[in-house]
Amino acid sequence: GDLAVELMPPNLLLLDLLNYLSSTEILKNLELEQSENLFLLGMGKAAPALCVALKKKYKFNESLVLGNDIGGHPYMNQGSLLNGQRLSEFVKRIPKEAHLVVALTGGASAMVDIIHPYFKNLTSEYFEIQKEIVLAGISIEQMNKMRKSLSQLKNGGLFKFSGTQSIETIVISDTPEKNLSDVGSGPTVYSQLNLEELREIGKIVLDEKLCKLYFDYLNLHEKELVRDVRHHTFKVIADYSIACKKMKEYQWHKNLNILLDPLSLSLNEGVEFLISKSRGSWVFSGGEFTVKVKSREHGQGGRNQHLVLEFARRIFFLNELELNEKQLKQCYIVSIGSDGIDGNTEVAGAYFDFSRLQKAKELGLEPESFLELFDSHTFLQKVEALIKTAATDTNIMDLRLSFIPN
């Protein structure tokens, strides 16, 4: 279980993996369906870098890249609607015989949107609904269903605005394989929505006033939720399964368990799962744990920092497993957002080990109050456990390594 000297430290291993997933390496085998009369539309956090790489490989007549320079993330804002307007004007101009390449990455859902006329004079309520969707602690899948129901662009809506119907989507996916229509809430992919299910999600997420607004909207525009979307090509160039393959190639540790299915759990269930799985072996896992932010006046942090601090609280501070000091010195957790941004902070995530526990004790810090205030960032900053990467030029989901000796 001891970290062998020759091993790359866990934090560096994850950063090296992100480096691989963002490199032009992942575009090496890409062949577009058409090689001339090409137009390029980029959307999402990693879109700027992906578009730069695509332009090195192909010649495009014109391109538009919509990142988070003006579009909001994680909360939609006026800039997101401005991006939607720019998108609509751009794709309308594309000649019918041209081929549109959509470079789609996670984060596009919040950064670019075309609002339904119903909400034209209700934009502040619209943004409020979108913010509640993020804060409610519902699954990524439920989030996307609701977002799709509200937007004219999402769920295959792009075809309605585009001058050409010859569209190919190149994807860096931040969702489990089976949910490809959830990347950016699927501007070029249609999946059927169930009205009853949408109402149920609405009741969980929204207060009475916003719920009434949402239900009225659904009742009036139910027919528009069905879209006529032609079949088109959808190519995934980076996702969690590619990350797992690369992790295997590293041969980092003989005792490494690579979990091939991304985890979709609440944060407390996630911590419980990692504690049980990590006994006696290093565990590499991906997936995004949901956190229900109970107070709207919360501190700084994100899923990854909150997870690391909750894991640390149980393993290091409470010592729930009754480990001796030698064993505690071997325990480790690192969790990062693969896009380099965790929640409302400027860092990718954090790690925790015995040395950080000692630092916390020196400073007289206990994690409970920080967790209650959703202020994990402040605690982890004080014990110097944060991981800062700057933009990673990829976005495939949260990634973690954890270990607890037997």
Side-chain angles (χ1 to χ4, degrees), residues 2 85 92 102 104 107 150 160 170-171 189 195 200 219 234 245 278 284 305 322 349 387 389-390:
D2 276 315
Q85 213 177 317
K92 272 177 187 156
V102 178
L104 184 64
L150 285 157
K160 182 179 154 188
I170 308 299
V171 185
V189 188
L195 217 60
E200 286 307 312
N219 294 338
F234 201 84
K245 219 158 100 184
S278 305
F284 172 69
Q305 293 162 79
E322 298 177 354
I387 296 172
T389 62

Side-chain angles (χ1 to χ4, degrees), residues 26 42 64 72 79-80 92-93 119 122 143 159 199 207 232 234 238 248 254 290-291 299 309 314 344 356 402:
I26 56 174
L64 173 68
S80 312
K92 272 177 187 156
R93 287 203 311 270
F119 291 102
L122 297 164
M143 248 188 206
F159 283 92
R199 288 196 184 98
D207 64 23
H232 83 302
F234 201 84
K248 205 174 169 187
K254 63 181 189 302
T290 54
V291 183
L309 192 53
R314 292 184 55 184
N344 61 0
R356 299 308 91 198
S402 50

Side-chain angles (χ1 to χ4, degrees), residues 99-272:
H99 186 62
L100 173 62
V101 176
V102 178
L104 184 64
T105 71
S109 207
M111 291 172 194
V112 191
D113 200 23
I114 299 177
I115 197 166
H116 191 281
Y118 178 84
F119 291 102
K120 202 170 184 326
N121 299 316
L122 297 164
T123 49
S124 62
E125 286 85 346
Y126 187 74
F127 293 145
E128 228 177 298
I129 290 173
Q130 295 285 356
K131 187 172 184 176
E132 292 303 322
I133 292 172
V134 176
L135 294 173
I138 55 175
S139 72
I140 304 287
E141 209 174 330
Q142 289 173 313
M143 248 188 206
N144 277 301
K145 281 177 179 169
M146 209 165 157
R147 282 169 163 172
K148 287 172 186 180
S149 73
L150 285 157
S151 169
Q152 289 207 293
L153 171 65
K154 297 169 172 60
N155 208 23
L158 183 76
F159 283 92
K160 182 179 154 188
F161 298 94
S162 179
T164 177
Q165 296 295 292
S166 173
I167 298 177
E168 175 171 11
T169 310
I170 308 299
V171 185
I172 293 179
S173 171
D174 61 345
T175 67
E177 273 175 287
K178 64 179 194 306
N179 304 345
L180 286 176
S181 69
D182 284 351
V183 185
S185 299
T188 57
V189 188
Y190 172 71
S191 57
Q192 199 175 351
L193 297 171
N194 178 308
L195 217 60
E196 275 316 298
E197 191 184 357
L198 290 172
R199 288 196 184 98
E200 286 307 312
I201 302 169
K203 280 181 208 163
I204 299 167
V205 171
L206 305 171
D207 64 23
E208 210 176 316
K209 185 185 112 215
L210 292 176
C211 206
K212 185 184 178 324
L213 184 67
Y214 179 54
F215 284 13
D216 288 350
Y217 159 74
L218 286 179
N219 294 338
L220 281 168
H221 301 284
E222 182 185 343
K223 285 193 172 71
E224 291 167 50
L225 297 181
V226 181
R227 304 226 158 107
D228 177 28
V229 176
R230 66 187 290 281
H231 173 75
H232 83 302
T233 314
F234 201 84
K235 291 176 180 154
V236 178
I237 54 165
D239 67 356
Y240 180 63
S241 66
I242 291 169
C244 290
K245 219 158 100 184
K246 186 67 181 168
M247 275 303 277
K248 205 174 169 187
E249 281 171 26
Y250 280 128
Q251 294 185 328
W252 179 69
H253 196 291
K254 63 181 189 302
N255 201 6
L256 174 65
N257 179 8
I258 297 170
L259 303 185
L260 300 176
D261 291 320
L263 304 173
S264 183
L265 301 164
S266 74
L267 190 120
N268 289 338
E269 290 167 344
V271 172
E272 192 59 53

Side-chain angles (χ1 to χ4, degrees), residues 240-405:
Y240 180 63
S241 66
I242 291 169
C244 290
K245 219 158 100 184
K246 186 67 181 168
M247 275 303 277
K248 205 174 169 187
E249 281 171 26
Y250 280 128
Q251 294 185 328
W252 179 69
H253 196 291
K254 63 181 189 302
N255 201 6
L256 174 65
N257 179 8
I258 297 170
L259 303 185
L260 300 176
D261 291 320
L263 304 173
S264 183
L265 301 164
S266 74
L267 190 120
N268 289 338
E269 290 167 344
V271 172
E272 192 59 53
F273 179 85
L274 289 178
I275 289 173
S276 67
K277 274 281 182 205
S278 305
R279 296 299 302 266
S281 71
W282 279 93
V283 171
F284 172 69
S285 62
E288 301 182 349
F289 297 151
T290 54
V291 183
K292 187 172 173 59
V293 181
K294 295 186 182 75
S295 153
R296 292 299 175 255
E297 297 302 312
H298 54 85
Q300 277 195 298
R303 285 186 302 256
N304 293 282
Q305 293 162 79
H306 201 86
L307 164 76
V308 165
L309 192 53
E310 176 57 20
F311 184 97
R313 181 184 77 84
R314 292 184 55 184
I315 295 302
F316 292 96
F317 290 88
L318 296 179
N319 193 5
E320 283 182 8
L321 302 176
E322 298 177 354
L323 303 170
N324 61 36
E325 188 172 305
K326 184 175 182 255
Q327 290 169 318
L328 277 174
K329 281 181 172 166
Q330 295 173 46
C331 295
Y332 200 95
I333 175 105
V334 53
S335 185
I336 57 174
S338 56
D339 58 349
I341 297 290
D342 186 36
N344 61 0
T345 69
E346 296 292 305
V347 301
Y351 76 100
F352 211 91
D353 62 4
F354 190 73
S355 68
R356 299 308 91 198
L357 174 69
Q358 288 175 305
K359 182 102 177 134
K361 286 189 167 162
E362 276 166 32
L363 298 168
L365 293 174
E366 291 291 335
E368 281 78 6
S369 61
F370 293 89
L371 287 164
E372 272 165 39
L373 294 168
F374 295 92
D375 196 23
S376 52
H377 182 77
T378 304
F379 182 101
L380 294 162
Q381 190 170 35
K382 287 176 192 283
V383 300
E384 296 168 23
L386 296 171
I387 296 172
K388 198 170 167 65
T389 62
T392 59
D393 297 341
T394 191
N395 184 20
I396 62 157
M397 67 178 58
D398 298 343
L399 301 172
R400 297 170 288 272
L401 274 167
S402 50
F403 178 78
I404 301 170

